[in-house]
Amino acid sequence: MFGFTTQPDVLVADPFAGSQTTALAAERLNRRRVTTEMHKEYVQNGFEHFKMNH
């Protein structure tokens, strides 16, 4: 959705990054991104998901 509501190179923040889906979409749409996640298992799973789909 932020692809329609933001301009390229804008910063997208995701405070509940989980599987990093927002980070992947931001990268594909040429948006900068900041993600955080407090659960270690989600961080690791999200990192693997990002690597596989990047």
Side-chain angles (χ1 to χ4, degrees):
M1 175 144 177
F2 61 82
F4 297 110
T5 59
T6 62
Q7 298 297 316
D9 203 40
V10 79
L11 181 63
V12 175
D14 183 4
F16 307 103
S19 64
Q20 296 293 325
T21 302
T22 300
L24 286 166
E27 182 164 298
R28 291 177 181 156
L29 294 170
N30 195 31
R31 272 58 170 182
R32 296 177 297 134
R33 66 205 179 279
V34 172
T35 61
T36 61
E37 179 56 60
M38 62 184 276
H39 298 285
K40 289 182 181 182
E41 62 276 9
Y42 292 166
V43 172
Q44 186 59 40
N45 291 340
F47 180 70
E48 293 299 323
H49 180 236
F50 189 87
K51 279 190 346 185
M52 289 183 348
N53 293 288
H54 180 262

